[in-house]
Amino acid sequence: MFLSLAIVAQIIVAVLLIIALMVGNAVVMVYMERKVAGFIQRRPGPYEVGPYGTLQAICDSMKLLAKQLYRPGNVDLILYYLAPILAFFPVLLLYLPIPFGPYLTALPVGDGVILILAFAGLGVLSNLLAGWSSNNKYSLLGAARAVSQTVAYEIPMILALLAVVFLSGSTDLKVVTDQQGPWPWQWNIVLQPLAFFIYLVSLVGETNRAPFDLPEAESELAAGFHTEYSGMGFALFFLSEYANMLLVSFVAAVFFLGGYKGPIADGFWWIFIKAYALMFFMVWIRWTFPRVRFDQLLNINWKWLLPLGLFNLWLTAAVIKVAF
Amino acid sequence: MLKEIWDNLKGLYSLGVGMAITGRYLLSPVETIHYPRQVVADEIMESFRGPIQLTFGPKDPAQSRCISCQMCVKACPGHCLTVTKGETKSPVVWLYDFSYCCLCGACVETCPASALEFSHKVYLVAKSRAELSMDLLADLKSRALKKAESVKSELPGSAPTTQNLAAPGPKDSPVKAEATKTPLANSDPEPKAPTEARPPKKAAKADPLPSDATIESRPKNGSDQ
């Protein structure tokens, strides 16, 4: 592959923009999360810092930056410091193939969805490393849960995406987007409602969000795998969690909701609107449902999502075979 | 098998119902109060059991009903009361150390003369322990003074003393409490005795507009330290 200077420069600029997006996204999401939580519980949420509390998240991140990095005794030093970095950096790679606009893709890769699904697995590894190296039983339990949960929920997620890949005949995110129209009835969600539902459920499970937040269940495991992390170590996990949420929302927007296409004018604004609507949906879910038990969590996955995903895939294949 | 599927579908429907409930709550107005800018109405504060205070006397509101029988002093589990009898039955020293008080109300229960009651001071703040030891006689005097003033301003034609006699104690008509904005439960801003050190209450009612002035004026207490 010919790697010209232009492509390198493009990737560097893209990665910088992606880092800015990740940090900005975390700030926005912290504010949104707390505000939505407040309104659902009929209280105002953050209010004092800045107009309507908008600067609260920035103050919190300043606090995290200035905080002492406390390291407990008997930790596995290399793994302990590697884990937050490993949680943060693969996410940068995952944003590269996403088409934000007709010409706005950081790195047009032919098999974008495969790249995303392959490197999303590194997030589990970082959780496992963090839990293992912390020398803390809560962390270890959280890590064990994180691994079994994330590995399980990856499968229906892939099955749901695969059904759309069958439809469009390509693993290129740009091609998948181009085959959908600007209006909602031209999106893949109309053709694949079951796949969208499966993706929606496994998206919550994959990002370890409530009600599937067992790896960091506060009431059971202190903070799960990141119990022993403070300051920027914690902040990196936090950033990568919100970045992962945004990523799966972007993927859902591309695969099911028409990506950057929309009424009036195509552009990155449409994919952002769609992704943040999904993020809002996830926050809404979090503040509505109680946490499931671990066996329930795995039962939902293995007994429902996986058979449904397989059925949906078979149905899609059969319809394509018969119709075309 | 079919029943299980049906149960799961019903469960799925119930998830939708839950989402609808939280969605409705999300859009409905908040029910809490922005404390420094808004305060709860004083009528609601009547049910709050704050630090104890002396009730107004039957004839002169500034004269306590206390007969210095020492029942409350004996009843107090925290030993926070000091009552000294004077020449007559009425006390000359009535000290109350709120830092030892557990707000059990034993003193209020035992008092044979109904001279004690709970105040409704929600916004009591203190920077030191000394501020929490209060002279209740001075407090009673200042409250009586305040009450007389507020009655005078309320009804300029009638005699204030008769009004005081008609309504002893802090239970006053809510109309008056609303109009004067200085309910009797509030202590006055300028302390009378050197031992008395109590932060003044925020007298302002709920202010819909956020204003920093109310925040500033809250715990100003220049008497001690």
Side-chain angles (χ1 to χ4, degrees):
Chain A
M1 182 186 164
F2 176 65
L3 203 68
S4 72
L5 203 66
I7 291 180
V8 172
Q10 184 187 346
I11 290 175
I12 288 171
V13 170
V15 164
L16 288 178
L17 284 177
I18 288 167
I19 291 176
L21 173 66
M22 281 170 75
V23 175
N25 169 60
V27 170
V28 170
M29 278 308 292
V30 166
Y31 180 69
M32 178 160 126
E33 182 116 42
R34 295 184 59 185
K35 235 13 190 184
V36 169
F39 285 142
I40 283 179
Q41 292 159 4
R42 305 194 71 175
R43 55 186 174 82
Y47 197 84
E48 298 297 330
V49 188
Y52 291 93
T54 38
L55 301 179
Q56 182 72 52
I58 294 170
C59 292
D60 287 352
S61 51
M62 288 298 116
K63 183 206 76 176
L64 275 179
L65 275 172
K67 230 173 163 180
Q68 184 194 2
L69 273 175
Y70 180 76
R71 176 170 56 80
N74 295 328
V75 298
D76 192 328
L77 260 184
I78 298 170
L79 297 186
Y80 182 78
Y81 285 120
L82 188 65
I85 297 167
L86 206 57
F88 181 75
F89 280 102
V91 186
L92 295 179
L93 192 63
L94 301 182
Y95 279 89
L96 288 182
I98 290 176
F100 290 103
Y103 306 103
L104 193 64
T105 312
L107 184 68
V109 189
D111 299 321
V113 63
I114 294 176
L115 183 121
I116 288 175
L117 290 173
F119 281 95
L122 276 177
V124 199
L125 184 65
S126 73
N127 290 0
L128 178 62
L129 289 185
W132 173 256
S133 62
S134 290
N135 189 31
N136 178 328
K137 54 180 175 282
Y138 297 117
S139 300
L140 189 58
L141 276 171
R145 286 178 175 192
V147 171
S148 51
Q149 174 181 343
T150 316
V151 167
Y153 273 86
E154 245 169 25
I155 299 166
M157 197 173 200
I158 291 171
L159 290 177
L161 293 182
L162 206 55
V164 178
V165 171
F166 276 20
L167 270 186
S168 52
S170 170
T171 49
D172 192 341
L173 295 171
K174 185 82 167 55
V175 176
V176 172
T177 310
D178 285 341
Q179 290 189 341
Q180 302 173 68
W183 296 96
W185 56 86
Q186 295 166 322
W187 295 346
N188 277 336
I189 186 173
V190 181
L191 297 171
Q192 293 282 353
L194 188 59
F196 181 68
F197 176 73
I198 293 168
Y199 186 83
L200 209 59
V201 177
S202 52
L203 161 159
V204 179
E206 182 76 10
T207 50
N208 301 335
R209 293 273 304 174
F212 298 152
D213 61 341
L214 285 124
E216 42 198 289
E218 301 96 3
S219 47
E220 302 161 23
L221 296 179
F225 59 85
H226 60 66
T227 305
E228 297 293 358
Y229 286 90
S230 60
M232 274 317 278
F234 168 73
L236 284 181
F237 277 118
F238 204 68
L239 269 179
S240 69
E241 187 194 320
Y242 279 121
N244 269 319
M245 274 173 71
L246 188 63
L247 177 87
V248 290
S249 300
F250 274 136
V251 173
V254 167
F255 270 75
F256 296 99
L257 302 176
Y260 57 77
K261 291 199 168 185
I264 302 166
D266 294 351
F268 66 89
W269 43 86
W270 279 114
I271 194 169
F272 270 87
I273 288 171
K274 289 162 185 171
Y276 274 95
L278 279 170
M279 300 277 267
F280 172 75
F281 183 73
M282 285 161 87
V283 173
W284 185 5
I285 284 180
R286 174 172 177 188
W287 297 105
T288 304
F289 302 137
R291 189 182 301 125
V292 296
R293 223 168 46 221
F294 199 69
D295 61 318
Q296 293 169 333
L297 172 91
L298 291 182
N299 275 349
I300 292 170
N301 180 56
W302 295 114
K303 287 190 180 170
W304 286 99
L305 295 184
L306 188 64
L308 275 177
L310 284 172
F311 171 73
N312 184 55
L313 200 61
W314 172 80
L315 197 69
T316 311
V319 167
I320 287 170
K321 187 75 182 168
V322 170
F324 303 103
Chain B
M1 177 69 185
L2 278 175
K3 191 183 175 299
E4 200 178 327
I5 290 173
W6 177 242
D7 281 349
N8 276 280
L9 285 177
K10 275 202 295 188
L12 213 59
Y13 171 72
S14 79
L15 293 185
V17 171
M19 296 285 283
I21 289 171
T22 46
R24 206 165 55 239
Y25 273 40
L26 180 73
L27 298 175
S28 51
V30 298
E31 297 213 322
T32 50
I33 281 175
H34 281 285
Y35 162 58
R37 299 176 200 88
Q38 305 172 331
V39 287
V40 178
D42 294 317
E43 289 87 57
I44 300 169
M45 287 305 175
E46 300 276 300
S47 62
F48 182 80
R49 308 202 322 173
I52 58 161
Q53 64 186 14
L54 294 171
T55 51
F56 291 117
K59 294 198 186 72
D60 181 13
Q63 193 65 41
S64 173
R65 290 161 180 250
C66 180
I67 52 171
S68 310
C69 67
Q70 310 288 331
M71 289 283 276
C72 51
V73 178
K74 288 198 184 83
C76 181
H79 305 294
C80 55
L81 303 178
T82 311
V83 182
T84 309
K85 192 168 172 284
E87 296 288 311
T88 59
K89 278 199 291 186
S90 56
V92 285
V93 176
W94 221 113
L95 295 178
Y96 168 45
D97 192 350
F98 186 47
S99 61
Y100 288 128
C101 180
C102 62
L103 294 167
C104 64
C107 48
V108 179
E109 293 278 320
T110 48
C111 184
S114 318
L116 285 172
E117 66 181 356
F118 283 112
S119 67
H120 315 302
K121 294 166 185 164
V122 185
Y123 307 112
L124 182 71
V125 202
K127 283 183 195 159
S128 69
R129 224 165 195 203
E131 285 175 51
L132 287 172
S133 64
M134 310 163 180
D135 184 353
L136 289 196
L137 282 178
D139 171 55
L140 180 72
K141 280 201 186 75
S142 68
R143 280 189 297 126
L145 201 70
K146 192 147 222 162
K147 185 184 174 189
E149 273 170 10
S150 69
V151 168
K152 213 182 292 175
S153 64
E154 172 81 4
L155 304 156
S158 67
T161 45
T162 54
Q163 284 292 318
N164 289 346
L165 285 173
K171 289 270 192 299
D172 220 319
S173 67
V175 184
K176 177 175 162 285
E178 208 159 69
T180 57
K181 294 184 176 182
T182 49
L184 302 165
N186 286 359
S187 67
D188 73 337
E190 58 268 0
K192 294 285 184 285
T195 48
E196 186 203 46
R198 45 182 55 245
K201 283 299 120 55
K202 217 164 83 65
K205 299 272 295 180
D207 188 5
L209 295 170
S211 67
D212 290 341
T214 50
I215 309 173
E216 291 299 321
S217 68
R218 197 156 35 87
K220 218 153 273 179
N221 184 8
S223 67
D224 72 330
Q225 286 177 353

